[in-house]
Amino acid sequence: MEDDDQQKTSDLLQELVLRLVSQNPQTPNLDLNSPAFLKTLRYAFRILSSRLTPSVAPDATAIAESLKRRLATQGKSSDALAFADLYTKFASKTGPGSVNNKWALVYLLKIVSDDRKSAINGLDSSILLPNLGLGDAGNGILRGGEAKKKDWSNGVLLVSKDPENLRDIAFREYATLVKEENEVTEEVLVRDVLYACQGIDGKYVKFNSEIDGYAVQDSVKVPRATRIMVRMLSELGWLFRKVKSFITESMDRFPAEEVGTVGQAFCAALQDELSDYYKLLAVLEAQAMNPIPLVSESASSSNYLSLRRLSVWFAEPMVKMRLMAVLVDKCKVLRGGAMAGAIHLHAQHGDPLVHEFMMSLLRCVCSPLFEMVRSWVLEGELEDTFGEFFIVGQPVKVDLLWREGYKLHPGMLPSFISPSLAQRILRTGKSINFLRVCCDDHGWADAASEAAAASGTTTRRGGLGYGETDALEHLVTEAAKRIDKHLLDVLYKRYKFKEHCLAIKRYLLLGQGDFVQYLMDIVGPKLSEPANNISSFELAGFLEAAIRASNAQYDDRDMLDRLRVKMMPHGTGDRGWDVFSLEYEARVPLDTVFTESVLSRYLRVFNFLWKLKRVEHALIGIWKTMKPNCITSNSFVKLQTSVKLQLLSALRRCQVLWNEMNHFVTNFQYYIMFEVLEVSWSNFSREMEAAKDLDDLLAAHEKYLNAIVAKSLLGEQSQTISKSLFVLFELILRFRSHADRLYEGIHELQIRTKESGRERNKMQESGSWISEGRKGLTQRAGEFLQSMSQDMDSIAKEYTTSLDAFLSLLPLQQCVDLKFLFFRLDFTEFYSRLHSKG
Amino acid sequence: MDEEASRTARESLELVFRMSNILDTGLDRHTLSVLIALCDLGVNPEALATVVKELRRESIPESATTIPS
C-alpha cells in the first residue's frame, strides 16, 4: 500500500511539476528528461519530505471562516458570500469521489492565495526565503506582510479600498499634533505633580500664591485640558501644605504650653496618616518610570503613570487629606475636651472609609482624655497640667471640699460623654478625694480596684480608648457604685451620721421632752433677767444639770459633748429669753452636711420651738395656780355679795381665757411636734436608707430642713402669719403675768381677810374700827378686782382679734397640714361664727 | 469510478476551482486536480504550497539544492 501510494505520489508530483513549469512564462517548454526538469523535480521532492506534519490544526471550517473574514475586511463582501456558499456546498459533498482531506485543500488554497498576494505586492523574493524556516509559515508570512505594509505606505494609498490604513493615518496625524501642542511630556508633568503633592515645587508646577494653589506655570505651553487636570490633582498638594503647616506650628508652640496633650495626640495621629501618604507617593514615584506590562509583545506603551491614572490613585488620599484639612481648620483654636468633641462631631459620617479614618484618628486623640478619666475615677487624681479636662479642682477649706472643691467645666466636655455620665465621674472622683482628705480613710483603693476588675479593665494605664464609651460608662458606674457605698458606709459606721442627726433632733429640735422640761424649769427664771446679767457658764451648768436629771444622760457622751449653750449677740434691752440658744458642734467630715448655714437654720427653728415651749410652760404654770383650792373658793363668804360676784366673774373669765389659750397652744404644739417634726424625720430616715451617695444624702437633708422651716411658718411666704403668731405668744405671756397678779391679789386678800377676821375677833370690844377695816378691804378688793377684770377683758379682746387674724391667714398657706390644724383649732366653728357675726 | 462518484468528483472540482478563483490563486483546473489528489494522499499542504510557490518564481536559484530543514 505504502509503495503504491508512494508511486502515485511521485507520479502526481511529476505531473504537477510539469504543469507548473509549463505555466511558468520564464522557463521554456522542457521535456521530461531535461536535467533542469529533473533538478526541479528533485527539489520539489526535497521540499515535500522536509515537512511532514502541518503546523495548523486540521479544522477546515475555521480556515474557511478566516478566509471569508479576510475577504470581507478587504471589502470584497460579495466574494466572501460566494466563497461561503461554495464552501458549504463543497463541505457537504461526501462519499466516493469527493475530497476526503478537505481542510488540507482549503488550507492549501489559503496559503497559495497569500503567496500570490505577497508576490503581487512586488516583494523581493529572496527576502521571502528565510521565512520558509519559520515554523508557522502562514503566520510568518502574514505578519511580515502586514508590517511591511505599514512601513511601506507613508501617505501613498497603496490599497485604496483598505480602511485600516485610514485609521493608521489618522492616528499618526493626531500624534504629530499632540507633540506640537505639548512642550512638556506627560511624564515630566506627572513627576511634577507628585512633587507638588508633597509640598515641593517641581520644574513646571509651582506654588502660585495668587490663586493659592499649585499650577503649571503660565510660561509653559500645555493644552488647557492638561492645565486643568494638573490643577485638580494639586489640590492634594494644597491640602497637604495646610496640614503640614498646622503640625509644625503646633510642634513649635508646644514648649509654650499652649498646646495640650490632646493637641499633641492629634498632631501625632496626623503625622501617622501623613507617613502612610508618603508611602503611597513613594510607590507611585517608583511606578512612574515603569512601562505597563501588556499581554501582547509588539505594542509598546507609554509610562505607567499618566495624569489620568494619577487622578484615580489620588481619589482616596484626596478624601482623607480633605478630612484632615477640615479638622485642622476646626481645631486651630480648640483645646482639650472641646477639640475631641469637635472631631467627634465630624466622625458622624455614613461613608465607611471616612468613618474608619475618623475612628482611628479619634482613638489617638482621645487617649489622653480617657486616661485622665480613668485616673480620676479610680484614684481621684487630677493630672491636668494644660487645663484640658472637664473637671476643675479648686483649693478650698476642708469643709467645703464636697460642695465646691471640684466642678464641671462644660466647655471642655466632649460631646460623646453625656452630662449624666460626667456628673457620675465628677462624683466618683470627689468621693475618693473626700474619703482621703476628710474621712482619713484608705479603704477606697480596694473598692477602686474591685470596680476595675468588675468592669473588665485594669487599673493600669491605657486600658480604654475612644469608641469604647460603653466600657467607660461601665467602669464609671461600677466605680461609682462601690465608692459611693464605701463612702456611705464610712459616714454611717465610723462617723455615726444617723446618730448625730438624731441627737440634733432630740436636742436642737426639742425632741427629748423630759430634758426640755427640766431645762425650762431650771433656766426659766434665770432667763427673765436682762441678758447682760446672765453668764454662759451658769447656763452651761444648768444644761449639765438638766442632762443629768433627764434620760439624756444615757445618751452617747460624744454627742452630749457637742451640745452647748450659746448666747447670741445682744443689745441692752434684751432679756435672756431672746438670746438663749443651744448649739451642736459638727466636726469634719460631718460639717459638709452641717454647714454654717444649715446650723443657723437649725438655730432659727430652735428659737421658734423654744418660744413655743416657753408659752406652753407659762400656761401650765397658770394652770397650777388656777387649780380650785380652799383658798379661793370657800373663804370669801365673809365678803359682800357684790365683791364675791365680781371675784367669781373675774375668776371665771380668767379660766375661760385660759382654756382658749390652752386649746390653741396645745393644738399648735401638737401640730409642730408631730406633724412637722416627726413626719419630716421619718421621711428623712427613709431617704437616708435609700441614699446611694453623698449628693443624695445632702439633698435629703436639705429637703428635711426646708420642710421643717416651711411648715413651721418660718419660711418667706409665711412672714405675715408668723408675725401674728408671735403676737399671740406675747398676749399669752401677758395673760400669764396678769393671771399671776390676779391670783396673788386674791391670795393677799385671803390672808387679809383671815387676818382681819382674827383681828375682828380680837377687836370685838373696840367697835367700829374693825368694820372700817373690813369695808376698806372690800373696797380695795372691789377696786382691785375691777381693774383686774378690765385688764382681763382687754386681753381677751386682743386675744380674740389676734387669733382671728391668725386663723384667717391660716387657710391661705400652701401646706396641706396647716389645713388640718385649722380644722382642729376651729372644730366647733366657734371662731368662724364669731367672725361672721362680727 | 462509477457515475455517482465521477459526478461528485467533477462537482467538487468545480467548486474548488471557483473558490480558488475567488481567492485569486491562479491555479487552473488541471493543476488543482493534481493538488487535490496529492492532498488526499496525505501530503503536507504547506509543503505543496511551497512547491507551487517555488516553481512559479521567475528563476530557480542554484542554491535550491540546499534547503534549510
Side-chain angles (χ1 to χ4, degrees), chain B residues 1-51:
Chain B
M1 285 199 263
D2 55 0
E3 275 299 314
E4 191 62 40
S6 62
R7 196 157 39 89
T8 318
R10 239 197 336 271
E11 280 167 12
S12 304
L13 181 62
E14 192 57 40
L15 287 170
V16 173
F17 179 65
R18 282 208 275 181
M19 277 200 285
S20 81
N21 274 353
I22 292 174
L23 290 173
D24 194 19
T25 55
L27 298 168
D28 61 341
R29 276 195 182 77
H30 194 87
T31 328
L32 262 180
S33 65
V34 173
L35 282 172
I36 290 173
L38 277 171
C39 280
D40 264 354
L41 285 173
V43 178
N44 188 0
E46 283 164 1
L48 278 175
T50 321
V51 169

Short mmCIF file of all heavy atoms in Angstrom, two decimals, chain B residues 1-51:
data_model
loop_
_atom_site.label_atom_id
_atom_site.label_comp_id
_atom_site.label_asym_id
_atom_site.label_seq_id
_atom_site.Cartn_x
_atom_site.Cartn_y
_atom_site.Cartn_z
N MET B 1 -14.33 4.31 -11.43
CA MET B 1 -15.34 5.13 -10.73
C MET B 1 -16.68 5.03 -11.41
O MET B 1 -16.76 5.04 -12.64
CB MET B 1 -14.88 6.59 -10.79
CG MET B 1 -13.74 6.93 -9.84
SD MET B 1 -13.64 8.69 -9.55
CE MET B 1 -12.38 9.13 -10.73
N ASP B 2 -17.64 5.03 -10.57
CA ASP B 2 -18.98 4.97 -11.16
C ASP B 2 -19.51 6.37 -11.40
O ASP B 2 -18.85 7.36 -11.13
CB ASP B 2 -19.93 4.16 -10.27
CG ASP B 2 -19.94 4.74 -8.86
OD1 ASP B 2 -19.22 5.75 -8.59
OD2 ASP B 2 -20.64 4.21 -7.99
N GLU B 3 -20.70 6.39 -11.95
CA GLU B 3 -21.29 7.66 -12.37
C GLU B 3 -21.40 8.65 -11.21
O GLU B 3 -21.06 9.83 -11.32
CB GLU B 3 -22.69 7.41 -12.95
CG GLU B 3 -22.65 7.03 -14.42
CD GLU B 3 -22.03 8.13 -15.28
OE1 GLU B 3 -22.42 9.33 -15.10
OE2 GLU B 3 -21.15 7.82 -16.05
N GLU B 4 -21.89 8.13 -10.10
CA GLU B 4 -22.13 9.00 -8.94
C GLU B 4 -20.83 9.62 -8.48
O GLU B 4 -20.73 10.85 -8.28
CB GLU B 4 -22.74 8.13 -7.81
CG GLU B 4 -23.30 8.89 -6.63
CD GLU B 4 -24.45 9.81 -7.00
OE1 GLU B 4 -25.31 9.44 -7.80
OE2 GLU B 4 -24.45 10.97 -6.46
N ALA B 5 -19.85 8.74 -8.35
CA ALA B 5 -18.57 9.23 -7.82
C ALA B 5 -17.96 10.24 -8.79
O ALA B 5 -17.46 11.29 -8.38
CB ALA B 5 -17.65 8.05 -7.58
N SER B 6 -18.03 9.94 -10.06
CA SER B 6 -17.40 10.87 -11.00
C SER B 6 -18.12 12.20 -11.03
O SER B 6 -17.51 13.26 -11.10
CB SER B 6 -17.38 10.24 -12.41
OG SER B 6 -18.71 10.02 -12.86
N ARG B 7 -19.43 12.15 -10.91
CA ARG B 7 -20.17 13.40 -10.85
C ARG B 7 -19.78 14.22 -9.63
O ARG B 7 -19.57 15.42 -9.70
CB ARG B 7 -21.67 13.12 -10.85
CG ARG B 7 -22.47 14.37 -11.19
CD ARG B 7 -23.83 14.05 -11.73
NE ARG B 7 -24.48 12.92 -11.07
CZ ARG B 7 -25.25 13.03 -9.99
NH1 ARG B 7 -25.50 14.21 -9.47
NH2 ARG B 7 -25.78 11.95 -9.46
N THR B 8 -19.71 13.52 -8.49
CA THR B 8 -19.31 14.19 -7.25
C THR B 8 -17.94 14.81 -7.41
O THR B 8 -17.70 15.96 -7.03
CB THR B 8 -19.28 13.19 -6.07
OG1 THR B 8 -20.42 12.35 -6.14
CG2 THR B 8 -19.22 13.91 -4.75
N ALA B 9 -17.07 13.99 -7.98
CA ALA B 9 -15.71 14.49 -8.15
C ALA B 9 -15.69 15.72 -9.04
O ALA B 9 -15.03 16.73 -8.75
CB ALA B 9 -14.83 13.38 -8.73
N ARG B 10 -16.47 15.67 -10.11
CA ARG B 10 -16.49 16.80 -11.03
C ARG B 10 -17.04 18.06 -10.36
O ARG B 10 -16.49 19.15 -10.47
CB ARG B 10 -17.36 16.44 -12.25
CG ARG B 10 -16.57 16.54 -13.55
CD ARG B 10 -17.46 16.59 -14.76
NE ARG B 10 -18.77 16.02 -14.63
CZ ARG B 10 -19.07 14.72 -14.86
NH1 ARG B 10 -18.15 13.90 -15.26
NH2 ARG B 10 -20.32 14.29 -14.70
N GLU B 11 -18.11 17.84 -9.62
CA GLU B 11 -18.71 18.99 -8.94
C GLU B 11 -17.78 19.57 -7.89
O GLU B 11 -17.63 20.80 -7.77
CB GLU B 11 -20.04 18.58 -8.28
CG GLU B 11 -21.18 18.53 -9.26
CD GLU B 11 -22.37 17.82 -8.66
OE1 GLU B 11 -22.37 17.60 -7.41
OE2 GLU B 11 -23.30 17.51 -9.40
N SER B 12 -17.11 18.66 -7.17
CA SER B 12 -16.17 19.12 -6.15
C SER B 12 -15.08 19.95 -6.80
O SER B 12 -14.71 21.02 -6.33
CB SER B 12 -15.55 17.95 -5.41
OG SER B 12 -16.54 17.14 -4.85
N LEU B 13 -14.57 19.41 -7.91
CA LEU B 13 -13.50 20.13 -8.58
C LEU B 13 -13.97 21.50 -9.02
O LEU B 13 -13.27 22.51 -8.86
CB LEU B 13 -13.02 19.31 -9.79
CG LEU B 13 -11.86 19.95 -10.56
CD1 LEU B 13 -10.64 20.09 -9.65
CD2 LEU B 13 -11.52 19.13 -11.79
N GLU B 14 -15.20 21.51 -9.55
CA GLU B 14 -15.75 22.79 -10.00
C GLU B 14 -15.82 23.79 -8.85
O GLU B 14 -15.43 24.96 -8.96
CB GLU B 14 -17.13 22.54 -10.58
CG GLU B 14 -17.72 23.69 -11.34
CD GLU B 14 -16.85 24.17 -12.47
OE1 GLU B 14 -16.26 23.34 -13.18
OE2 GLU B 14 -16.74 25.41 -12.62
N LEU B 15 -16.30 23.33 -7.70
CA LEU B 15 -16.43 24.21 -6.53
C LEU B 15 -15.06 24.70 -6.10
O LEU B 15 -14.88 25.90 -5.83
CB LEU B 15 -17.09 23.45 -5.37
CG LEU B 15 -18.58 23.17 -5.51
CD1 LEU B 15 -19.04 22.21 -4.44
CD2 LEU B 15 -19.36 24.44 -5.43
N VAL B 16 -14.14 23.77 -6.06
CA VAL B 16 -12.80 24.16 -5.59
C VAL B 16 -12.20 25.17 -6.57
O VAL B 16 -11.56 26.15 -6.16
CB VAL B 16 -11.90 22.91 -5.45
CG1 VAL B 16 -10.49 23.33 -5.14
CG2 VAL B 16 -12.42 22.03 -4.34
N PHE B 17 -12.44 24.92 -7.89
CA PHE B 17 -11.89 25.85 -8.87
C PHE B 17 -12.47 27.25 -8.67
O PHE B 17 -11.77 28.26 -8.70
CB PHE B 17 -12.19 25.34 -10.27
CG PHE B 17 -11.68 26.26 -11.32
CD1 PHE B 17 -10.31 26.49 -11.48
CD2 PHE B 17 -12.56 26.91 -12.18
CE1 PHE B 17 -9.85 27.36 -12.45
CE2 PHE B 17 -12.10 27.77 -13.17
CZ PHE B 17 -10.76 28.00 -13.31
N ARG B 18 -13.77 27.30 -8.39
CA ARG B 18 -14.38 28.61 -8.19
C ARG B 18 -13.87 29.28 -6.92
O ARG B 18 -13.59 30.49 -6.89
CB ARG B 18 -15.90 28.47 -8.14
CG ARG B 18 -16.45 28.30 -9.55
CD ARG B 18 -17.85 28.81 -9.65
NE ARG B 18 -18.70 27.71 -9.20
CZ ARG B 18 -20.01 27.74 -9.16
NH1 ARG B 18 -20.65 28.82 -9.51
NH2 ARG B 18 -20.70 26.70 -8.77
N MET B 19 -13.67 28.47 -5.89
CA MET B 19 -13.13 29.03 -4.63
C MET B 19 -11.75 29.58 -4.86
O MET B 19 -11.40 30.67 -4.39
CB MET B 19 -13.08 27.94 -3.54
CG MET B 19 -14.40 27.76 -2.84
SD MET B 19 -14.23 26.98 -1.25
CE MET B 19 -13.92 25.32 -1.72
N SER B 20 -10.95 28.79 -5.60
CA SER B 20 -9.59 29.25 -5.81
C SER B 20 -9.58 30.50 -6.68
O SER B 20 -8.70 31.34 -6.55
CB SER B 20 -8.76 28.13 -6.43
OG SER B 20 -8.98 28.06 -7.83
N ASN B 21 -10.57 30.67 -7.53
CA ASN B 21 -10.67 31.89 -8.34
C ASN B 21 -10.99 33.09 -7.47
O ASN B 21 -10.41 34.16 -7.63
CB ASN B 21 -11.76 31.74 -9.41
CG ASN B 21 -11.20 31.09 -10.65
OD1 ASN B 21 -9.99 30.87 -10.75
ND2 ASN B 21 -12.05 30.75 -11.60
N ILE B 22 -11.89 32.86 -6.54
CA ILE B 22 -12.21 33.97 -5.63
C ILE B 22 -10.97 34.38 -4.86
O ILE B 22 -10.71 35.56 -4.65
CB ILE B 22 -13.33 33.56 -4.66
CG1 ILE B 22 -14.63 33.39 -5.43
CG2 ILE B 22 -13.52 34.58 -3.55
CD1 ILE B 22 -15.76 32.84 -4.60
N LEU B 23 -10.24 33.35 -4.43
CA LEU B 23 -9.05 33.65 -3.64
C LEU B 23 -7.88 34.07 -4.52
O LEU B 23 -6.82 34.43 -4.01
CB LEU B 23 -8.65 32.41 -2.83
CG LEU B 23 -9.63 32.06 -1.70
CD1 LEU B 23 -9.24 30.74 -1.07
CD2 LEU B 23 -9.62 33.15 -0.65
N ASP B 24 -8.08 34.03 -5.75
CA ASP B 24 -7.07 34.54 -6.67
C ASP B 24 -5.75 33.79 -6.53
O ASP B 24 -4.70 34.37 -6.27
CB ASP B 24 -6.88 36.04 -6.42
CG ASP B 24 -6.10 36.69 -7.56
OD1 ASP B 24 -6.04 36.10 -8.65
OD2 ASP B 24 -5.52 37.77 -7.31
N THR B 25 -5.83 32.45 -6.68
CA THR B 25 -4.62 31.65 -6.55
C THR B 25 -3.91 31.46 -7.90
O THR B 25 -2.73 31.13 -7.94
CB THR B 25 -4.94 30.25 -6.00
OG1 THR B 25 -5.94 29.66 -6.86
CG2 THR B 25 -5.47 30.36 -4.59
N GLY B 26 -4.63 31.62 -8.94
CA GLY B 26 -4.00 31.46 -10.26
C GLY B 26 -3.78 30.03 -10.69
O GLY B 26 -2.94 29.75 -11.56
N LEU B 27 -4.50 29.11 -10.04
CA LEU B 27 -4.33 27.71 -10.42
C LEU B 27 -5.46 27.30 -11.37
O LEU B 27 -6.60 27.69 -11.20
CB LEU B 27 -4.39 26.84 -9.15
CG LEU B 27 -3.31 27.08 -8.10
CD1 LEU B 27 -3.65 26.37 -6.81
CD2 LEU B 27 -1.97 26.57 -8.64
N ASP B 28 -5.07 26.51 -12.33
CA ASP B 28 -6.12 26.05 -13.27
C ASP B 28 -6.64 24.70 -12.82
O ASP B 28 -6.15 24.09 -11.89
CB ASP B 28 -5.57 26.01 -14.69
CG ASP B 28 -4.40 25.04 -14.79
OD1 ASP B 28 -3.81 24.71 -13.71
OD2 ASP B 28 -4.06 24.59 -15.88
N ARG B 29 -7.61 24.24 -13.58
CA ARG B 29 -8.31 23.04 -13.14
C ARG B 29 -7.40 21.83 -13.07
O ARG B 29 -7.48 21.03 -12.12
CB ARG B 29 -9.47 22.73 -14.11
CG ARG B 29 -10.71 23.49 -13.81
CD ARG B 29 -11.88 22.85 -14.55
NE ARG B 29 -13.10 23.57 -14.34
CZ ARG B 29 -13.42 24.70 -14.93
NH1 ARG B 29 -12.59 25.26 -15.79
NH2 ARG B 29 -14.59 25.31 -14.67
N HIS B 30 -6.57 21.70 -14.06
CA HIS B 30 -5.74 20.50 -14.09
C HIS B 30 -4.81 20.46 -12.89
O HIS B 30 -4.68 19.46 -12.19
CB HIS B 30 -4.94 20.48 -15.40
CG HIS B 30 -4.34 19.13 -15.66
ND1 HIS B 30 -5.01 18.12 -16.31
CD2 HIS B 30 -3.11 18.64 -15.36
CE1 HIS B 30 -4.23 17.06 -16.40
NE2 HIS B 30 -3.06 17.34 -15.83
N THR B 31 -4.12 21.59 -12.66
CA THR B 31 -3.22 21.64 -11.51
C THR B 31 -3.96 21.39 -10.21
O THR B 31 -3.49 20.70 -9.30
CB THR B 31 -2.54 23.02 -11.43
OG1 THR B 31 -2.35 23.54 -12.74
CG2 THR B 31 -1.25 22.98 -10.68
N LEU B 32 -5.12 21.95 -10.18
CA LEU B 32 -5.92 21.77 -8.97
C LEU B 32 -6.24 20.31 -8.74
O LEU B 32 -6.18 19.81 -7.62
CB LEU B 32 -7.22 22.56 -9.07
CG LEU B 32 -7.22 23.92 -8.38
CD1 LEU B 32 -8.54 24.61 -8.53
CD2 LEU B 32 -6.90 23.79 -6.91
N SER B 33 -6.57 19.61 -9.80
CA SER B 33 -6.92 18.20 -9.61
C SER B 33 -5.73 17.43 -9.11
O SER B 33 -5.86 16.56 -8.23
CB SER B 33 -7.46 17.62 -10.92
OG SER B 33 -6.44 17.60 -11.90
N VAL B 34 -4.57 17.75 -9.68
CA VAL B 34 -3.35 17.07 -9.19
C VAL B 34 -3.14 17.39 -7.71
O VAL B 34 -2.83 16.50 -6.89
CB VAL B 34 -2.14 17.54 -10.03
CG1 VAL B 34 -0.85 17.00 -9.46
CG2 VAL B 34 -2.32 17.07 -11.45
N LEU B 35 -3.31 18.62 -7.37
CA LEU B 35 -3.09 19.01 -5.98
C LEU B 35 -4.07 18.33 -5.04
O LEU B 35 -3.72 17.90 -3.93
CB LEU B 35 -3.24 20.53 -5.84
CG LEU B 35 -2.04 21.35 -6.31
CD1 LEU B 35 -2.36 22.83 -6.33
CD2 LEU B 35 -0.83 21.09 -5.42
N ILE B 36 -5.31 18.23 -5.52
CA ILE B 36 -6.31 17.55 -4.69
C ILE B 36 -5.91 16.11 -4.46
O ILE B 36 -5.98 15.58 -3.34
CB ILE B 36 -7.70 17.61 -5.37
CG1 ILE B 36 -8.23 19.03 -5.34
CG2 ILE B 36 -8.67 16.69 -4.66
CD1 ILE B 36 -9.50 19.20 -6.13
N ALA B 37 -5.43 15.46 -5.54
CA ALA B 37 -5.03 14.05 -5.40
C ALA B 37 -3.89 13.94 -4.41
O ALA B 37 -3.87 13.05 -3.54
CB ALA B 37 -4.65 13.51 -6.75
N LEU B 38 -2.92 14.86 -4.55
CA LEU B 38 -1.78 14.81 -3.64
C LEU B 38 -2.21 15.02 -2.20
O LEU B 38 -1.75 14.35 -1.28
CB LEU B 38 -0.77 15.88 -4.04
CG LEU B 38 0.19 15.47 -5.17
CD1 LEU B 38 1.00 16.65 -5.63
CD2 LEU B 38 1.11 14.35 -4.71
N CYS B 39 -3.12 15.96 -2.00
CA CYS B 39 -3.61 16.20 -0.61
C CYS B 39 -4.32 15.00 -0.07
O CYS B 39 -4.14 14.63 1.10
CB CYS B 39 -4.58 17.39 -0.62
SG CYS B 39 -3.76 18.96 -0.65
N ASP B 40 -5.10 14.36 -0.90
CA ASP B 40 -5.81 13.18 -0.43
C ASP B 40 -4.84 12.10 -0.02
O ASP B 40 -5.14 11.30 0.86
CB ASP B 40 -6.72 12.66 -1.55
CG ASP B 40 -8.14 13.20 -1.36
OD1 ASP B 40 -8.38 13.85 -0.31
OD2 ASP B 40 -8.97 12.96 -2.23
N LEU B 41 -3.72 12.07 -0.68
CA LEU B 41 -2.73 11.05 -0.33
C LEU B 41 -2.01 11.39 0.97
O LEU B 41 -1.21 10.60 1.47
CB LEU B 41 -1.70 10.91 -1.45
CG LEU B 41 -2.26 10.14 -2.67
CD1 LEU B 41 -1.27 10.17 -3.82
CD2 LEU B 41 -2.52 8.68 -2.30
N GLY B 42 -2.24 12.55 1.48
CA GLY B 42 -1.68 12.85 2.81
C GLY B 42 -0.46 13.71 2.79
O GLY B 42 0.26 13.78 3.78
N VAL B 43 -0.23 14.36 1.69
CA VAL B 43 0.95 15.22 1.65
C VAL B 43 0.65 16.49 2.43
O VAL B 43 -0.48 16.99 2.48
CB VAL B 43 1.29 15.53 0.17
CG1 VAL B 43 2.48 16.46 0.08
CG2 VAL B 43 1.55 14.25 -0.58
N ASN B 44 1.69 16.99 3.01
CA ASN B 44 1.55 18.22 3.80
C ASN B 44 1.17 19.38 2.88
O ASN B 44 1.89 19.69 1.94
CB ASN B 44 2.89 18.52 4.47
CG ASN B 44 2.78 19.67 5.46
OD1 ASN B 44 1.72 20.23 5.65
ND2 ASN B 44 3.92 20.02 6.06
N PRO B 45 0.07 20.04 3.15
CA PRO B 45 -0.35 21.12 2.27
C PRO B 45 0.60 22.30 2.27
O PRO B 45 0.74 23.00 1.28
CB PRO B 45 -1.72 21.52 2.84
CG PRO B 45 -1.79 20.95 4.19
CD PRO B 45 -0.93 19.75 4.17
N GLU B 46 1.28 22.49 3.40
CA GLU B 46 2.23 23.60 3.43
C GLU B 46 3.37 23.33 2.45
O GLU B 46 3.82 24.23 1.73
CB GLU B 46 2.77 23.79 4.85
CG GLU B 46 1.78 24.48 5.75
CD GLU B 46 2.15 24.32 7.20
OE1 GLU B 46 3.19 23.69 7.50
OE2 GLU B 46 1.38 24.82 8.05
N ALA B 47 3.81 22.11 2.50
CA ALA B 47 4.88 21.76 1.57
C ALA B 47 4.44 21.92 0.11
O ALA B 47 5.19 22.45 -0.74
CB ALA B 47 5.31 20.34 1.84
N LEU B 48 3.24 21.48 -0.18
CA LEU B 48 2.72 21.61 -1.54
C LEU B 48 2.65 23.07 -1.95
O LEU B 48 3.02 23.42 -3.09
CB LEU B 48 1.33 21.00 -1.63
CG LEU B 48 1.28 19.49 -1.81
CD1 LEU B 48 -0.14 19.01 -1.77
CD2 LEU B 48 1.94 19.11 -3.13
N ALA B 49 2.20 23.87 -1.01
CA ALA B 49 2.09 25.30 -1.33
C ALA B 49 3.47 25.87 -1.63
O ALA B 49 3.64 26.69 -2.54
CB ALA B 49 1.44 26.03 -0.17
N THR B 50 4.43 25.42 -0.83
CA THR B 50 5.78 25.89 -1.08
C THR B 50 6.26 25.49 -2.47
O THR B 50 6.89 26.27 -3.18
CB THR B 50 6.74 25.31 -0.03
OG1 THR B 50 6.09 25.31 1.23
CG2 THR B 50 7.99 26.11 0.03
N VAL B 51 5.97 24.24 -2.84
CA VAL B 51 6.37 23.77 -4.17
C VAL B 51 5.78 24.66 -5.23
O VAL B 51 6.46 25.10 -6.17
CB VAL B 51 5.93 22.30 -4.35
CG1 VAL B 51 6.10 21.90 -5.80
CG2 VAL B 51 6.72 21.41 -3.44
#
